[in-house]
Amino acid sequence: MVKVLFVCLGNICRSPMAEAMFRDVVKREGLEGNIVVDSAGTGDWHIGQPPHEGTRTILKSNRIDFEGIKARQVESKDLEDFDYIIAMDSDNKRNIEKWKSAFPTAKIELLLDYVPHMKDKNVPDPYYTGNFQEVFDLLQQGCEKLLQHIKQNHDVK
Ligand code: 4NP
């Protein structure tokens, strides 16, 4: 079993969108018994809330299910529980790395590290930009490459 956790700031815009999209592609490839997907935020403002309306709208229009996704805050034990901690931007990544000394083997990366041609490795925050389409397009590329990487590096067939 490979466990993937997407992390952003509020866990209502980017990381739940990534969770739903990654779940969707994992399901389409018949790998749902092999890969666990979750998301969390470094902030606590939205705990228990469903994804932001902009995220819900773009997921609905692409027929991607987001049933059951509710915001939660990332915690140190996530570094032990998840094989891949995938942050949306370098601030989120830095925030989680504060626990790295307790869990030195944790893999903490940026999603766009998996997209080599992408110069800016940060997924912009649509809570501020309002551009959910831009985020959707970036996450689509990132999720595709991340799944390719997992399939090449783990026995998930
Ligand atoms: P997210 O966007 O990190 O992509 O979920 C945000 C959502 C809420 C806030 C900031 C960013 N906020 O400050 O409440």
Side-chain angles (χ1 to χ4, degrees):
M1 187 69 79
V2 179
K3 298 180 75 175
V4 178
L5 180 71
F6 294 103
V7 178
C8 63
L9 177 58
N11 193 212
I12 54 168
C13 299
R14 292 166 294 176
S15 62
M17 195 190 295
E19 177 185 351
M21 292 171 74
F22 199 62
R23 248 204 230 158
D24 187 65
V25 65
V26 162
K27 197 172 169 193
R28 276 192 276 117
E29 298 217 7
L31 297 172
E32 64 267 44
N34 297 277
I35 302 177
V36 168
V37 191
D38 194 6
S39 69
T42 57
D44 63 0
W45 316 284
H46 301 284
I47 293 173
Q49 292 178 15
H52 187 284
E53 191 184 348
T55 287
R56 296 200 310 264
T57 300
I58 202 147
L59 289 173
K60 271 187 213 154
S61 64
N62 286 276
R63 298 180 203 288
I64 297 174
D65 182 39
F66 53 87
E67 175 82 34
I69 296 183
K70 283 205 164 48
R72 73 166 177 94
Q73 191 169 26
V74 65
E75 47 189 337
S76 57
K77 83 184 238 311
D78 288 321
L79 273 66
E80 194 171 34
D81 288 350
F82 287 87
D83 303 294
Y84 290 85
I85 315 254
I86 305 288
M88 294 295 128
D89 65 44
S90 49
D91 284 345
N92 317 140
K93 183 169 179 255
R94 206 172 311 119
N95 231 308
I96 312 163
E97 281 172 341
K98 67 184 178 215
W99 291 313
K100 188 97 176 153
S101 55
F103 304 101
T105 59
K107 206 170 165 65
I108 305 171
E109 300 167 307
L110 293 172
L111 180 64
L112 297 183
D113 283 341
Y114 285 92
V115 188
H117 74 264
M118 206 70 78
K119 281 213 183 72
D120 186 352
K121 298 296 181 190
N122 298 305
V123 177
D125 194 339
Y127 190 74
Y128 302 109
T129 68
N131 194 342
F132 286 83
Q133 184 65 57
E134 174 190 32
V135 171
F136 185 87
D137 295 343
L138 291 170
L139 297 186
Q140 202 157 43
Q141 296 188 58
C143 285
E144 187 190 313
K145 297 284 191 194
L146 175 61
L147 186 58
Q148 255 176 31
H149 170 89
I150 290 174
K151 281 161 63 178
Q152 281 163 6
N153 289 275
H154 303 265
D155 189 19
V156 293
K157 280 163 249 68

